[in-house]
């Protein structure tokens, strides 16, 4: 989730007004038979989609075939894009859920199960590498879950274990908010926030308990020092479920080349975020220029609701954000491929994957990437850059499967030791 919270951008100054929004043409990337064949023999895995917000707040049905729906994920779109497994993000807005993080976490987990129960012929809950492979054989979408933001555990190791038992297979140590044991990149410059210089001792215990349980440690969103603490602590490979490259776009959410090399050494994987604000410097600049006005528009809406004693409506905020995003020209498709290519070159081909952030970026994705149905275009673009079929399959999901398998193996070892 990269939703623009007011606090994230309150520090940014308004700059000159933007070039007027241009009509966006979807780039024409024809997917060849060769690319299709690679897709068909791959297990395509995406490690981050925020669709559960839609399940819960909008009552969205993943079986929807509504042609006017602008969402990135549906069973139909997943099928067209050959998507084999999706890690659905369990993201609890820390501002609107103060005092009941766990309750909202459970509600979101429930929303994923309910969708799987509604569509047993095309979707199944998955909790392991074996489950993903079984779903693939049965031509069903494997539905996995990752918690986005350590605040969900309410500083309670029992809750962490309960989430594992319910099927959560990764946790992002922080979202954009620093919690009580991990610093976030989202507020690291905010003097009003109490920081910890990375992970606290309890935070390190959380990482080790995740290792023991077999829950992947996700370092997307965390502050740089938290990243380095996590990588020094973990006994298993870790993931960046939805992060891009800072050498190409200077966003604190993106990873430096040193971090990419450290993840390679750790044996982990960095799954590239498709969000235009993370993959294209021009888009990011335009976004920063409008940040103050956008934040003011959202604040006005939130204040008016508060004045009426009404709860904040996620759908409405998302609509406002989409309107603002749509004013900025979409980056070319190649911006996304440049990040995959950069990470493959710096970290190595075994350490890059896909972490779209679908349904969490207010519609702001590069041209030609309108939904999960467009995923095969990535294969085509990588072929066009000279990548081999074997290497492409690693990027599409092979690397994530390897890391997940390794995390399962480390868990088995640690559990055996602790008995
Ligand atoms: Zn996110």
């Amino acid at each position: 989730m990269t939703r623009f919270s007011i606090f994230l951008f309150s520090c940014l100054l308004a700059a000159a007004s933007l070039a007027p929004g241009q009509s966006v043409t979807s780039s024409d990337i024809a997917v060849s038979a060769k690319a299709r064949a690679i897709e068909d023999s791959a297990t395509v895995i995406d490690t981050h989609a925020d669709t559960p917000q839609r399940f819960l707040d909008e009552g969205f049905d993943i079986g929807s075939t509504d042609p006017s729906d602008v969402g990135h994920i549906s069973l139909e779109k997943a099928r067209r894009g050959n998507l084999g497994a999706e890690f659905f993000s369990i993201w609890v807005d820390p501002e609107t859920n103060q005092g009941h993080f766990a309750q909202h976490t459970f509600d979101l987990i429930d929303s994923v199960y309910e969708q799987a129960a509604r569509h047993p012929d095309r979707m199944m809950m998955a909790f392991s590498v074996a489950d993903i492979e079984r779903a693939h054989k049965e031509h069903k979408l494997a539905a996995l879950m990752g918690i986005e933001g350590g605040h969900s555990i309410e500083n309670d190791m029992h809750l962490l274990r309960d989430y594992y038992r319910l099927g959560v297979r990764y946790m992002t140590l922080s979202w954009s908010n620093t919690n009580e044991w991990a610093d976030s990149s989202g507020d690291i410059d905010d003097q009003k926030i109490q920081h910890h210089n990375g992970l606290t001792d309890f935070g390190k215990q959380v990482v080790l308990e995740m290792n023991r349980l077999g829950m992947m440690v996700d370092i997307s969103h965390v502050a740089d020092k938290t990243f380095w603490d996590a990588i020094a602590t973990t006994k298993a490979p870790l993931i960046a479920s939805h992060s891009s490259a800072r050498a190409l776009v200077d966003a604190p959410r993106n990873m430096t080349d040193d971090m990419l090399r450290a993840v390679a050494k750790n044996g982990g994987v960095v799954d590239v975020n498709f969000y235009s604000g993370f993959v294209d410097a021009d888009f990011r600049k335009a976004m920063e220029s409008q940040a103050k006005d956008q934040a003011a528009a959202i604040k006005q809406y939130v204040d008016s609701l508060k004045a009426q004693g009404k709860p904040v409506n996620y759908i409405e905020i998302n609509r406002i954000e989409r309107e603002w995003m749509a004013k900025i020209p979409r980056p070319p498709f190649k911006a996304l491929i440049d990040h995959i290519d950069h990470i493959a070159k710096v970290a190595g081909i075994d350490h890059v994957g896909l972490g779209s952030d679908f349904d969490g970026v207010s519609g702001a994705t590069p041209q030609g990437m309108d939904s999960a149905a467009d995923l095969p275009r990535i294969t085509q673009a990588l072929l066009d850059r000279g990548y081999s079929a074997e290497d492409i399959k690693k990027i599409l999901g092979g690397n994530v499967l390897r890391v997940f398998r390794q995390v399962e193996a480390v868990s088995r070892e640690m559990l055996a030791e602790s008995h």
Side-chain angles (χ1 to χ4, degrees):
M1 166 66 60
T2 54
R3 217 149 68 64
F4 301 125
S5 296
I6 296 158
F7 72 93
L8 271 179
F9 286 94
S10 56
C11 54
L12 290 167
L13 295 173
S17 64
L18 300 169
Q22 297 160 8
S23 63
V24 172
T25 53
S26 187
S27 59
D28 258 335
I29 304 163
V31 178
S32 65
K34 187 177 178 190
R36 288 280 174 201
I38 293 169
E39 283 277 323
D40 288 346
S41 64
T43 306
V44 181
I45 304 175
D46 176 35
T47 52
H48 198 92
D50 279 300
T51 325
Q53 305 296 323
R54 302 198 68 201
F55 300 154
L56 197 60
D57 294 352
E58 292 177 38
F60 174 70
D61 186 330
I62 198 166
S64 168
T65 53
D66 177 0
S68 67
D69 183 64
V70 292
H72 289 139
I73 298 259
S74 70
L75 288 175
E76 176 62 15
K77 288 166 183 169
R79 188 191 60 77
R80 278 170 30 217
N82 196 38
L83 179 60
E86 181 62 65
F87 280 81
F88 288 103
S89 172
I90 305 300
W91 172 73
V92 172
D93 187 331
E95 289 182 76
T96 55
N97 293 285
Q98 275 295 343
H100 53 92
F101 294 157
Q103 186 57 54
H104 201 68
T105 305
F106 287 127
D107 289 351
L108 286 161
I109 290 171
D110 172 72
S111 78
V112 180
Y113 274 87
E114 286 296 299
Q115 293 292 326
R118 218 182 271 181
H119 303 284
D121 51 331
R122 290 185 287 164
M123 176 176 176
M124 60 177 264
M125 296 304 297
F127 312 105
S128 62
V129 170
D131 285 348
I132 292 175
E133 288 170 343
R134 189 159 59 88
H136 191 66
K137 282 200 193 86
E138 295 178 15
H139 304 289
K140 291 177 185 174
L141 176 68
L144 297 104
M145 295 176 292
I147 287 179
E148 184 172 20
H151 57 282
S152 271
I153 69 167
E154 297 186 350
N155 308 316
D156 184 347
M157 217 65 102
H158 306 91
L159 263 181
L160 174 70
R161 289 194 284 268
D162 286 336
Y163 295 147
Y164 177 84
R165 292 175 188 120
L166 282 172
V168 173
R169 288 299 176 267
Y170 77 68
M171 183 168 77
T172 323
L173 299 178
S174 78
W175 180 59
S176 297
N177 58 310
T178 287
N179 55 48
E180 283 161 88
W181 46 270
D183 287 347
S184 168
S185 65
D187 61 13
I188 196 68
D189 297 324
D190 187 341
Q191 306 293 328
K192 295 192 294 293
I193 303 291
Q194 193 196 333
H195 291 111
H196 320 290
N197 189 29
L199 282 177
T200 65
D201 286 343
F202 177 75
K204 291 172 187 169
Q205 291 306 312
V206 169
V207 167
L208 291 171
E209 184 63 2
M210 290 171 73
N211 289 161
R212 197 181 70 95
L213 292 169
M215 191 188 283
M216 289 184 278
V217 175
D218 177 19
I219 53 73
S220 286
H221 280 284
V222 303
D224 289 3
K225 180 60 164 54
T226 307
F227 168 86
W228 293 110
D229 285 355
I231 211 146
T233 305
T234 186
K235 293 185 184 303
L238 44 71
I239 65 168
S241 70
H242 58 311
S243 293
S244 303
R246 209 183 294 178
L248 302 184
V249 176
D250 188 16
R253 271 280 281 105
N254 285 348
M255 298 179 69
T256 65
D257 286 357
D258 280 347
M259 288 173 171
L260 296 177
R261 282 186 281 266
V263 171
K265 199 170 159 211
N266 156 274
V269 63
V270 176
D271 299 330
V272 173
N273 191 315
F274 299 1
Y275 173 46
S276 297
F278 293 156
V279 297
D280 186 77
D282 290 338
F283 189 96
R284 186 165 188 82
K285 215 181 291 165
M287 207 185 74
E288 285 171 353
S289 300
Q290 66 159 232
K292 198 180 173 191
D293 292 338
Q294 186 193 1
I298 292 171
K299 187 173 184 302
Q300 191 182 22
Y301 169 71
V302 171
D303 287 349
S304 75
L305 281 181
K306 278 185 184 158
Q308 299 167 57
K310 290 182 184 165
V312 176
N313 186 330
Y314 160 78
I315 302 164
E316 188 62 16
I317 289 179
N318 190 42
R319 189 189 61 73
I320 297 170
E321 286 173 347
R322 278 178 176 274
E323 272 177 20
W324 282 88
M325 288 295 181
K327 294 173 198 240
I328 309 173
R330 291 174 78 180
F333 191 79
K334 90 175 260 303
L336 167 60
I337 305 303
D338 286 346
H339 283 258
I340 297 175
D341 195 38
H342 180 84
I343 295 170
K345 288 201 167 82
V346 174
I349 192 67
D350 292 326
H351 306 286
V352 57
L354 307 177
S356 66
D357 218 348
F358 277 150
D359 289 330
V361 295
S362 309
T365 47
Q367 294 174 40
M369 183 51 75
D370 295 330
S371 77
D374 292 326
L375 287 168
R377 289 176 165 175
I378 292 176
T379 296
Q380 184 61 53
L382 291 170
L383 267 179
D384 292 346
R385 291 200 190 194
Y387 280 74
S388 70
E390 279 317 297
D391 286 352
I392 292 170
K393 283 197 267 186
K394 287 180 177 181
I395 295 168
L396 293 179
N399 288 336
V400 170
L401 276 184
R402 183 201 75 239
V403 169
F404 195 2
R405 201 176 277 123
Q406 186 67 24
V407 166
E408 290 176 343
V410 169
S411 164
R412 277 195 299 272
E413 281 167 31
M414 290 176 77
L415 286 169
E417 278 167 24
S418 63
H419 287 150

